[in-house]
Amino acid sequence: MSSESAPIRQGNCEPCESLAANFERHIRNWLSRDEKVPGDLYYALALSVKEQLFEHWRSTRRQDLSYQKKQVAYLSLEFLMGRALGNMLLCLDLTDECRQSLNQLAIDLEEIQEQEHDAGLGNGGLGRLAACFMDSCATMDIAATGYGIRYEYGMFMQRIADGYQQEMPDKWLRMGNPWEVRVNSHNVNVPFYGRTETYLDKKRHIAWVDTQDVLAVAYDMPIPGYRNQRVNTLRLWKAEATDDFDLSEFNQGDYAEAVARKNLAEQITMVLYPNDASENGKELRLRQQYFLSSASLQDLLKNWVNAFGEDFSRFAEYNVMQLNDTHPSIAVPELMRLLVDVHGLEWDEAWDITTSCMAYTNHTLLPEALERWPVRMLGNILPRILEIIYEINARYLDKVAQLWPGDHHKLRTLSIIEEGHEQYVRMAYLAIVGSFSVNGVAGLHTELLKQGLFKDFYQLWPEKFNNRTNGVTPRRWLAMCNPGLSELITQKIGDQWVTDLPQLSQLRQFADDVAFVKQWAAIKRQNKARLARLIKRETGVEFDNSMLFDVQVKRIHEYKRQLLNILHVIHLYDRICRGDTDGMVPRCVLIGGKAAPGYAMAKQIIKLANNVAHMVNSDKNMAPWLRMVFLPNYNVSAMEKIAPGTDLSEQISTAGKEASGTGNMKFMMNGALTIGTLDGANIEMLEEVGEENFFLFGLTAAEVAEQRKDYRPNEIINNSAALSGVMQLLESGHFNLLEPGIFDHIIGAIRDPYDQWMTAADFDAYCSAQQAVAAAYQQPAHWYRMSILNTAASGRFSSDVTIAGYRDEIWRA
Ligand code: HTP
């Protein structure tokens, strides 16, 4: 890649030490040992790279604190950053230089990169989206700060024992985190518990008293833009005990007890909740949400007051806060509290500011993901916040009553407080009422929000609703993870695509160029070999890179239908057993993903995948046709090898259930073809690439809704020879491996007329689409043509495009 775009070390700072010199100094001074251990070398290298960023990090901060630009705060309980080193080197254009310095020490850069532990501070799509957005904001010179939590334990590590998932704690900070900087000057106190008191001086005030405060300590991570001198900040808060919270106990002589209490405060940021798209209503989770929201808003207000004093009249002009799902939506009443109680503003003025600053992104329609907090719990932990929520609700319901006079049902259904045996606060409603913008994450998803879940709100405030289709960063997800393909693309169309991905459309002209197609195919083969090595290392199974690599990696969830994929593998197995291999293509199937620890059905699906894989791989007759693995511990760094090495990407959710999907985009960028339903962003991918280059199948969202009224899976099974054969094998216990009954729930779900995911309904269509895949793969020129056209059409799914939409339509930054 050309290094002509401004290298980061030019600019208005002192010329600093070269990376090589810096690295040597760190090895010498910091490691102070003769023997060179890869883990230590990684650490020293990371510290050196971080130092290369300091000048620009400082100047970015200085510039942003002068408010020449509108400041974006991205509030998110999750940032799934993965590894940092490779991306930092890419952004600073230091990869080659770094490789050379290491070579002098006879060390391989790739080996050093493998030493880095993933920062797994997220569950899946939501957290990874936040990470991609951080990269795009920096690259697009947007003054954005990510605010999150520095969990001591990130997403659990998944082990597979006897085919079952086991969760192990992810102590990602054990070796230290060389990228972070602890900044004590940003410490703030976050109040919990206590009670409220009303008092009068010139006017009526409310004080939140007798609180148990927790100290929020800022840990900053640099987010460099791609070769542009901007270094934004990801500020992650750690909870610590304040020094003064335990005075009374000290005085009573309970020194040891008081010190031990420290743990209670520090619990708040101890662990990430491992639930993707579902909530479990735990008190600690609410404390995490408030802790993040309060610390971040106090930080923003402190910056403002430092620059402009107590004049908040232009605050909303220069600040916008994007709420990543409802998780940080408690920020709405918290900003009201800070403005009214702490800074003395009138309610109306504070409400104007709040509703001009807050923007809410909805990520899912699944009812189990919609957060509601019991009023009693919220009132106990955050008494002042509950009062403010009541006040917000009362004023807002006045508006509802004006629009629908006399309609008590409307008031009830639209109230932020859900009535009933137990009262709840509906966090999505709070977020909508408190925000000026509400967006979905793909076209279909936003339409479904407007027509279904948030229909009344759409009627109330149509102007708030907008769509921002998700995207992924082309730096990590093409330039960094697929150097072979990046180089080939750059040779053909130059390197501007890295920051302007729609330029990939120029690749279309080479789709029929024999020499180019050959190079394209050779790179895919190398990437498949790299993936096969990973699979061999992790599972012992050999993937043969002349076979079709068919991949589904994502969280395990019924709506994503890994089960449909497994049933298809069983169908192929059945066919091979019967000698019916006509038109079949040799195929290696890879499934990976974590199940929420409390999600029993998802865990059974993992077990089934492993058992089927076992039966397939231990049968000699299968080897020429079929292999299958369940890859343990799927994470960001694994995906960096998986996406480039994939031929076929499985995006097979029940239509209407996957809000967007973002893995689908990573595969497309790397030239995989998609087999998929009309769901989430698949629809837009299909629009871009054309139906002839996409393996489409299955019911539409509207058809799913229609057929659910009278769904008869048993009839469908009886009418399908293929599915009957699969069910017979499953029900005969063929895959049980001596554990009778373990798949009864799965079998019951497939045959259940109330099966929400309608696996049986799409089975035959899925198999036909898979046959079309097999036919296409047998014509390499045709297949790679489609592969090139997929990459060429992926430009719209750059997170730069998405962020341009946020910037122009929401943030107006
Ligand atoms: C989800 C959806 C997925 C989206 C992703 C990012 C839930 N966050 N939370 N997400 O399951 O389809 O791509 O928006």
Side-chain angles (χ1 to χ4, degrees), residues 188-191 294-302 334 337-338:
V188 292
N189 275 354
V190 177
S294 179
S296 311
L297 291 174
Q298 290 188 56
D299 196 48
L300 293 171
L301 291 178
K302 210 155 78 173
E334 174 64 1
R337 180 185 79 85
L338 293 170

Side-chain angles (χ1 to χ4, degrees), residues 119-139:
L121 308 186
N123 273 284
L126 178 107
R128 187 52 233 174
L129 185 75
C132 284
F133 281 5
M134 285 297 102
D135 179 79
S136 284
C137 285
T139 296

Side-chain angles (χ1 to χ4, degrees), residues 4 117 150 186 205 307 329 353 519 555 612 621 660 667:
E4 278 173 14
H117 198 109
R150 182 179 175 277
H186 291 292
H205 290 275
S329 57
I353 292 173
Q519 286 173 295
R555 286 302 287 252
V612 172
N621 297 325
S660 160
F667 284 115

Side-chain angles (χ1 to χ4, degrees), residues 47 50 53-54 57-58 61 65 81 84 88 121 144-150 172-173 177-187 216-224 231-238 295-296 299 303:
L47 290 176
K50 185 173 67 178
L53 286 163
F54 274 150
W57 200 2
R58 244 193 308 271
R61 198 170 319 134
L65 286 174
M81 303 302 286
M88 298 282 183
L121 308 186
T145 303
Y147 280 104
I149 290 183
R150 182 179 175 277
W172 74 291
L173 293 167
N177 174 9
W179 303 106
E180 68 187 12
V181 178
R182 181 182 165 120
V183 198
N184 291 313
S185 55
H186 291 292
N187 293 359
V217 180
Y219 282 76
D220 286 358
M221 306 248 268
I223 309 284
V231 182
N232 280 340
T233 298
L234 172 61
R235 180 157 294 166
L236 301 179
W237 298 106
K238 175 179 191 284
S296 311
D299 196 48
N303 289 343

Side-chain angles (χ1 to χ4, degrees), residues 78 124-130 133 276-277 324-325 327 361-366 369 440-442 445 470 559-560 657-665 680-681:
E78 301 186 14
L126 178 107
R128 187 52 233 174
L129 185 75
F133 281 5
D276 183 71
N324 198 22
D325 216 303
H327 315 152
T361 304
N362 173 282
H363 291 269
T364 175
L365 297 156
L366 298 182
V441 291
H445 170 61
N470 284 166
Y559 84 80
K560 296 179 188 280
K657 304 294 182 190
E658 186 72 271
S660 160
T662 44
N664 48 1
M665 301 167 181

